[in-house]
Amino acid sequence: MLNKYFYLNTIGCQMNVYDSEQIAARLAALGYQQTGSLEIADLVIVNTCTIRAKAEQKAFSFLGRLARLKIKKPGLIIGVGGCVAQQEGDKILRRVPYIDLVFGTQAIDRLPLLIRKIENKRCRIVDVALTEKPRQPDALPDRRLDGSVSTFVTIMRGCDNFCTYCVVPHVRGREISRHPDRILEEIRGLVQSGVKEVTLLGQNVNSYGKKEGLCSFAELLSRVNSIEGLLRIRFTTSHPKDFGNDLINAFKTNEKVCDHIHLPIQSGSDRILKRMNRKYTKALYLDKITKLRDTCPGIAITSDFIVGFPGETEADFNRTMDLIKLVQFDGLFAFVYSDRPKAPAVQFKNKILEEEKRERLQILLKLQENFTRMKNQALVGSVQPILVEGISKKQSSGSFNRSQPIVQWTGRTSTNKIVNFYHNDTPQSDADIFAGKMVRTKIEKAYAHSLWGKPVGAKSATGGLKGEESYAA
Ligand code: SAH
Ligand code: SF4
Ligand code: F3S
């Protein structure tokens, strides 16, 4: 039998990255091999995102590019999955006539059946069923990665929070948590295949297990912390309303939990937070930040902001700016508000002009730049344990008159800052061995989005993984 190939395009958040891996595993089980070339693909899948209008446009513009391929190769199967698929359903078949399959966010398990059906009958299928209690979502039992140091593990799916701007609860369905035993099993398997760091994923990890009466998120962290061979644990996203003391303490008690929290606030104005249905106030958020910093002084804090939410006045926006000045985040993501057809805020009055939104975004980003640089600069001179992720760049041997090219490595601090460095004893051929190692690195320079360091000697696998140490060479 001839080889069959699939091409997979992933747009969107880490959840989609994780789901795409699940999709790829199922397609491999059907006998398809993954390819990076659209030209030789027999099956093209795009895993889509609809969080903002731009993400949705990205999906449709990719699909548009496939028209030419389908004419050249009428047997080509094209499938659309993920959040746009869930949102638009059969409308996609009408809008893009050469699409064969639309599968929603709860249909990944059924993908092999759907593809087989299309292969045999050349029919068009839409499967976007979204049930209140979907089958316990689970990874394929033997998830193995080739050489990745760090990977995502979805611990819960869906969302019950219904922030008024957000499409996620409408396209991902109700919140459901995976059983801790399954999560641990998956992580142990990943560690066996060389993974050193996991990022646990959920839209609101703080409510993990509550609905199902499983363990709390802090308890899950402590169980994951005990997995031998795993070096680092990260997680995202935390919702300020459910962010409790047990989780604050978890940073202290679990040595593998990294010194970084992503805690989206969205706005510094209580009036806007109320309209967003975020269920916390600025004061409550600040109180949690104070507690976090008291308990873990070196912790890096990042956040998300939306500017130009309907009804956001100049005064509301200035409250957001004041909050940024007060908290001094290590970094932040900021977005202009985007109307989503299924989210309630689409009906809200007093929409802000596009131009005004963009201007506010630029002002906000400019302000934050100073703090990001300041936080990076503060690390210069310190020694940071870096988890090496891989080679970032090879430098040609010529100017250095070496037989081997000089290799530039990259990794991250516990606080999630990228550090690049040279390590002359580790030529490229040793990449597999060096990636995944913990290396103590003296930070020499700070840039806008990364740091430059110099290794000062390897550290044992489990000792001193967190935080900063002062340099005493
Ligand atoms: N569950 C996470 C966020 C998931 S979406 C949480 O509650 O924080 C990631 C970010 O996208 C959000 O934090 C928000 O800042 C942004 N976002 C979501 N919907 C948006 C919209 N309609 N317009 C602009 N930004 C949006
Ligand atoms: Fe969207 Fe709010 Fe759920 Fe986050 S918590 S996914 S912003 S509805
Ligand atoms: Fe993620 Fe985008 Fe869906 S952010 S949950 S892929 S809408």
Side-chain angles (χ1 to χ4, degrees):
M1 201 180 88
L2 281 175
N3 283 338
K4 289 189 299 182
Y5 293 97
F6 73 94
Y7 179 100
L8 180 56
N9 179 8
T10 307
I11 305 169
C13 67
Q14 296 107 321
M15 295 257 176
N16 264 14
V17 173
Y18 182 87
D19 284 353
S20 278
E21 216 192 284
Q22 295 293 309
I23 290 171
R26 282 160 176 83
L27 298 179
L30 280 181
Y32 285 88
Q33 286 176 43
Q34 191 153 8
T35 174
S37 155
L38 270 174
E39 302 296 324
I40 68 163
D42 303 284
L43 169 63
V44 176
I45 302 277
V46 51
N47 195 9
T48 60
C49 171
T50 184
I51 197 81
R52 286 169 288 275
K54 236 191 197 156
E56 184 177 340
Q57 281 154 17
K58 205 166 160 187
F60 282 108
S61 94
F62 175 75
L63 289 170
R65 280 166 40 210
L66 300 180
R68 182 186 55 85
L69 272 183
K70 186 85 172 192
I71 293 169
K72 250 174 53 188
K73 198 177 193 177
L76 177 71
I77 299 174
I78 302 175
V80 185
C83 297
V84 176
Q86 192 65 54
Q87 178 184 276
E88 297 296 303
D90 58 1
K91 276 192 237 154
I92 298 182
L93 290 190
R94 272 175 267 144
R95 179 164 169 183
V96 193
Y98 46 84
I99 280 172
D100 304 281
L101 170 66
V102 177
F103 63 103
T105 52
Q106 290 178 3
I108 295 174
D109 277 347
R110 296 186 290 273
L111 196 57
L113 276 174
L114 302 172
I115 301 278
R116 278 283 181 257
K117 221 168 167 179
I118 294 170
E119 284 172 340
N120 295 333
K121 299 197 183 140
R122 294 307 315 183
C123 50
R124 302 176 88 196
I125 302 178
V126 177
D127 181 346
V128 288
L130 203 59
T131 56
E132 273 285 312
K133 282 200 174 147
R135 207 182 61 81
Q136 185 80 343
D138 240 323
L140 289 182
D142 58 346
R143 186 175 170 217
R144 289 284 183 278
L145 293 175
D146 307 327
S148 300
V149 169
S150 180
T151 193
F152 303 120
V153 173
T154 291
I155 61 165
M156 56 209 292
R157 291 175 179 273
C159 183
D160 288 350
N161 288 306
F162 294 96
C163 304
T164 52
Y165 52 80
C166 187
V167 72
V168 173
H170 309 279
V171 293
R172 288 270 172 176
R174 297 291 56 75
E175 182 185 289
I176 177 164
S177 298
R178 291 176 66 195
H179 196 282
D181 292 351
R182 299 289 85 70
I183 296 169
L184 261 80
E185 223 169 80
E186 183 177 342
I187 300 175
R188 281 198 200 97
L190 290 168
V191 170
Q192 265 174 25
S193 70
V195 166
K196 304 287 183 199
E197 174 183 272
V198 287
T199 302
L200 309 179
L201 298 179
Q203 296 299 348
N204 175 14
V205 293
N206 309 109
S207 60
Y208 171 82
K210 281 190 185 151
K211 238 167 138 177
E212 294 82 3
L214 302 166
C215 65
S216 71
F217 182 58
E219 283 160 349
L220 178 71
L221 279 179
S222 133
R223 287 187 66 183
V224 176
N225 192 69
S226 67
I227 295 178
E228 217 172 299
L230 183 70
L231 298 185
R232 282 181 169 176
I233 306 166
R234 301 185 186 277
F235 56 86
T236 197
T237 304
S238 290
H239 196 306
K241 81 178 162 69
D242 300 312
F243 186 74
N245 289 340
D246 61 340
L247 191 53
I248 294 178
N249 290 328
F251 282 100
K252 226 165 83 174
T253 50
N254 301 295
E255 77 283 3
K256 295 177 188 173
V257 173
C258 288
D259 287 330
H260 171 222
I261 176 89
H262 184 60
L263 198 59
I265 181 166
Q266 314 298 355
S267 168
S269 157
D270 284 344
R271 200 179 69 83
I272 295 296
L273 287 173
K274 193 148 198 221
R275 281 164 67 85
M276 287 177 163
N277 191 31
R278 288 292 287 182
K279 302 193 183 92
Y280 54 82
T281 58
K282 173 177 140 192
L284 189 116
Y285 185 88
L286 289 175
D287 179 53
K288 303 212 171 178
I289 297 287
T290 306
K291 280 192 184 134
L292 253 170
R293 284 184 167 152
D294 284 350
T295 313
C296 341
I299 197 159
I301 303 173
T302 56
S303 196
D304 288 350
F305 286 85
I306 295 177
V307 296
F309 186 76
E312 184 189 72
T313 60
E314 200 65 37
D316 292 317
F317 176 65
N318 285 334
R319 284 186 191 107
T320 297
M321 299 291 280
D322 290 344
L323 178 112
I324 293 173
K325 287 181 203 152
L326 192 63
V327 177
Q328 306 194 351
F329 293 101
D330 287 71
L332 55 80
F333 297 100
F335 312 98
V336 294
Y337 167 77
S338 169
D339 259 342
R340 306 314 296 131
K342 284 187 189 272
V346 74
Q347 316 283 354
F348 288 12
K349 298 208 167 56
N350 302 326
K351 294 273 161 64
I352 311 296
L353 288 174
E354 220 42 51
E355 206 179 281
E356 178 64 33
K357 286 194 278 189
R358 305 223 161 264
E359 200 172 305
R360 287 183 192 175
L361 180 73
Q362 290 316 316
I363 296 171
L364 188 156
L365 292 175
K366 190 117 198 67
L367 172 68
Q368 177 56 31
E369 246 175 49
N370 306 320
F371 295 117
T372 308
R373 205 175 312 116
M374 194 180 89
K375 296 275 173 174
N376 283 351
Q377 193 63 42
L379 294 183
V380 173
S382 71
V383 171
Q384 300 288 327
I386 306 299
L387 177 62
V388 183
E389 286 171 15
I391 293 169
S392 74
K393 224 193 291 173
K394 275 174 261 166
Q395 218 159 69
S396 74
S397 51
S399 55
F400 290 88
N401 194 23
R402 289 164 57 103
S403 55
Q404 290 267 12
I406 295 197
V407 176
Q408 184 179 307
W409 296 87
T410 188
R412 276 168 204 265
T413 62
S414 173
T415 50
N416 207 30
K417 298 186 195 303
I418 295 169
V419 182
N420 296 311
F421 60 94
Y422 291 135
H423 196 278
N424 297 341
D425 304 337
T426 51
Q428 192 190 340
S429 54
D430 285 348
D432 290 349
I433 307 165
F434 198 46
K437 289 276 185 299
M438 198 66 87
V439 173
R440 295 172 75 235
T441 306
K442 186 186 178 193
I443 305 303
E444 294 185 327
K445 277 186 218 147
Y447 301 108
H449 301 289
S450 68
L451 299 164
W452 181 261
K454 183 178 180 187
V456 290
K459 192 118 191 177
S460 73
T462 49
L465 299 184
K466 293 191 20 159
E468 266 177 68
E469 302 157 40
S470 59
Y471 184 61

